[in-house]
Amino acid sequence: MSSCDHELLFTASSIHAKTVGYKDPTPKQLLAAAHPSGRAPKHQEPPSDSTFPAPLVLPGDDLALDPEYEPQSLKSWINEPHRNEVTVRRRALYVVPVPAVSKTVAFVDAWARPGKEHAKSSIDSPKADDVVQYLQAFYHGLPVKLLSKPRLQFMSWNETPQEDPETGRKYIGLNIGSQIIGIRSRPSKDKVFSGQLNLNDLLDAAMTMLPKDAYALLMLVDHDLYEDEEDDFCCGRAYGGSRVSVVSTARYNPALDDAQEVEREHPWPASHCRDYVDMCCQEAHEAPMKLAMKPTSPDSSPLGEAVSAFQSLPVPTAAAEFRNLWLGRLCKTASHELGHCFGMDHCVYYACIMQGTTGLTEDAGQPPYLCPVDLAKVLTATGSDEATWARSMLKFCERFSNDRMFIAFAAWLKGRLLEIEGIDA
């Protein structure tokens, strides 16, 4: 079991949020944001903060760096002129499995594994089929398909020099069946991996192979990615208007957690642990800080049940446990990046899978669920309803009863379903 018992939970924004200027939305603003009219219904309260907590806004978090990020309500999402509508002819979501590597560029295969000075991983990266099934639940109501033919393959790129002598940048070809597309690459800046592929080039390739009936496409890669020259790495990105996204498995490898300072005691839902929130805020401020709100003990609320379920399993140490931990991390990012293809911006209303993130620690601390505002957007696009969505997600999560995130998500979903049934009664 973990050394922290998560005895007390925070469901509000941290005291650091106040110091950087983040302003919590009022209950009326939260209700209005989730209503298509943009007005708060009378005689109605937003869901409990023990179901949908506020964003934590810890030091270094995305909202801490940009506390005035413009919110996107359901109404503004509906009225967004560049948002792509789901149509009868264009409604399928496609997942492209990790490309193969040809013998002509065998060195690229090694780039998908951590460098010599880092821990080696004996487990395989997550399977595309599992990601497809997760997304089938998450975007319930839309078909999610594996685009396995033609099988993508990295190969030599002969139209430009193989290596730039000044930058060390190599050009790799990606065969997508109809053509071979050049993908820039470079040595990894932080040397966690020996090489990285350019994210923007992969997104361009995704656009080229977008099927006619596709609403959106997600490409999976095992290689580390970079977007701009100043980046150390990037785990994923979407060209939302173009309906394509790319997500890398590389940095989510649990074998790299120590090297990347990703601790396993306080991912969601334990990210709401009072002691953890307190520690993060104290470390960022020289003077002692007074906690903003009295924390609550875990209870029978969805968040409380999620923390109890999380605590029921030990910190993962076995290969099978690492495999599911890796899958959970990847699924969260896959659902987030596809969310951008649905026209959703980063969330500022609640702790939510659509929050922006500045790194792996914040990524791990964010929940896998959609908040009331963003769930309303997805349900509008897919034609599903919240209870059906929750049951679909629950069925998937219960397959992974030995993983802390999935079992916690299952407990949260059960609690939320009880709330929904109470509202409908």
Side-chain angles (χ1 to χ4, degrees):
M1 296 294 177
S2 66
S3 59
C4 182
D5 57 16
H6 317 306
E7 249 187 348
L8 299 173
L9 305 178
F10 255 157
T11 58
S13 299
S14 70
I15 186 62
H16 183 73
K18 311 302 182 286
T19 67
V20 298
Y22 173 78
K23 294 182 180 179
D24 292 295
T26 66
K28 186 175 181 180
Q29 288 172 328
L30 291 175
L31 281 172
H35 200 272
S37 70
R39 296 187 296 273
K42 293 181 180 180
H43 312 300
Q44 187 176 333
E45 294 293 327
S48 168
D49 59 6
S50 58
T51 302
F52 295 103
L56 288 169
V57 197
L58 298 176
D61 281 1
D62 190 62
L63 273 175
L65 301 179
D66 191 3
E68 296 182 357
Y69 191 87
E70 186 175 354
Q72 185 196 53
S73 67
L74 175 59
K75 181 182 179 180
S76 61
W77 175 82
I78 291 171
N79 294 331
E80 169 56 49
H82 302 296
R83 178 175 64 86
N84 294 296
E85 295 277 0
V86 175
T87 67
V88 173
R89 294 184 178 180
R90 198 175 66 187
R91 58 185 290 104
L93 303 178
Y94 283 91
V95 176
V96 181
V98 171
V101 177
S102 75
K103 293 181 180 179
T104 59
V105 289
F107 59 90
V108 174
D109 194 43
W111 291 1
R113 297 187 292 274
K116 293 180 180 179
E117 63 270 35
H118 298 286
K120 296 298 180 183
S121 175
S122 60
I123 60 173
D124 294 330
S125 59
K127 297 178 181 178
D129 285 339
D130 287 330
V131 177
V132 167
Q133 291 169 28
Y134 184 89
L135 295 173
Q136 284 173 338
F138 196 91
Y139 292 103
H140 181 82
L142 298 181
V144 182
K145 306 176 183 180
L146 190 66
L147 188 62
S148 55
K149 294 182 180 179
R151 178 71 188 276
L152 272 60
Q153 185 178 53
F154 290 117
M155 58 190 304
S156 60
W157 174 248
N158 298 319
E159 294 184 20
T160 59
Q162 284 290 304
E163 183 170 335
D164 185 324
E166 293 184 4
T167 64
R169 184 181 297 114
K170 292 181 173 67
Y171 294 82
I172 309 301
L174 178 62
N175 189 339
I176 64 171
S178 60
Q179 60 181 292
I180 300 173
I181 296 177
I183 308 295
R184 287 168 287 173
S185 68
R186 71 175 190 185
S188 171
K189 276 190 173 183
D190 61 9
K191 303 188 186 308
V192 173
F193 293 87
S194 54
Q196 296 175 311
L197 302 179
N198 184 265
L199 177 61
N200 295 314
D201 292 346
L202 290 169
L203 284 163
D204 288 341
M207 284 192 289
T208 303
M209 60 187 299
L210 194 66
K212 290 183 179 179
D213 67 335
Y215 177 76
L217 179 147
L218 168 73
M219 180 190 294
L220 299 176
V221 294
D222 278 344
H223 290 79
D224 201 27
L225 305 177
Y226 76 98
E227 186 172 15
D228 300 312
E229 289 301 327
E230 61 270 20
D231 293 339
D232 280 344
F233 66 91
C234 185
C235 293
R237 187 74 72 219
Y239 286 170
S242 299
R243 300 175 286 122
V244 295
S245 57
V246 172
V247 173
S248 165
T249 68
R251 296 282 170 160
Y252 295 128
N253 187 341
L256 294 173
D257 285 356
D258 289 341
Q260 298 182 128
E261 299 182 347
V262 178
E263 59 108 85
R264 297 179 189 145
E265 283 196 354
H266 293 96
W268 181 88
S271 51
H272 291 277
C273 169
R274 187 281 303 270
D275 290 341
Y276 175 69
V277 173
D278 190 18
M279 177 192 69
C280 291
C281 292
Q282 298 286 6
E283 286 180 349
H285 298 265
E286 293 183 5
M289 299 188 72
K290 197 171 184 180
L291 292 176
M293 288 190 66
K294 183 179 179 181
T296 60
S297 300
D299 52 19
S300 59
S301 68
L303 179 61
E305 293 289 355
V307 171
S308 296
F310 179 87
Q311 275 291 89
S312 71
L313 293 178
V315 174
T317 56
E321 296 165 348
F322 282 151
R323 189 176 299 114
N324 292 337
L325 173 62
W326 198 350
L327 173 64
R329 292 170 173 178
L330 180 64
C331 286
K332 285 175 62 178
T333 300
S335 59
H336 173 102
E337 296 302 343
L338 275 177
H340 289 314
C341 294
F342 281 83
M344 290 192 288
D345 202 348
H346 286 153
C347 183
V348 303
Y349 294 106
Y350 295 91
C352 173
I353 191 60
M354 287 309 300
Q355 282 181 261
T357 178
T358 58
L360 295 168
T361 297
E362 183 179 9
D363 189 298
Q366 292 174 350
Y369 59 74
L370 289 157
C371 75
V373 179
D374 288 317
L375 182 58
K377 298 170 189 175
V378 167
L379 297 180
T380 299
T382 61
S384 189
D385 60 82
E386 185 176 3
T388 304
W389 175 85
R391 292 189 187 98
S392 181
M393 288 302 318
L394 178 59
K395 184 177 180 180
F396 178 91
C397 291
E398 288 182 331
R399 291 173 45 201
F400 299 90
S401 58
N402 65 337
D403 177 76
R404 301 179 104 195
M405 192 279 280
F406 285 123
I407 196 174
F409 195 9
W412 184 93
L413 289 161
K414 290 176 183 177
R416 182 56 183 158
L417 278 167
L418 288 174
E419 291 180 338
I420 295 169
E421 290 165 358
I423 293 170
D424 293 340

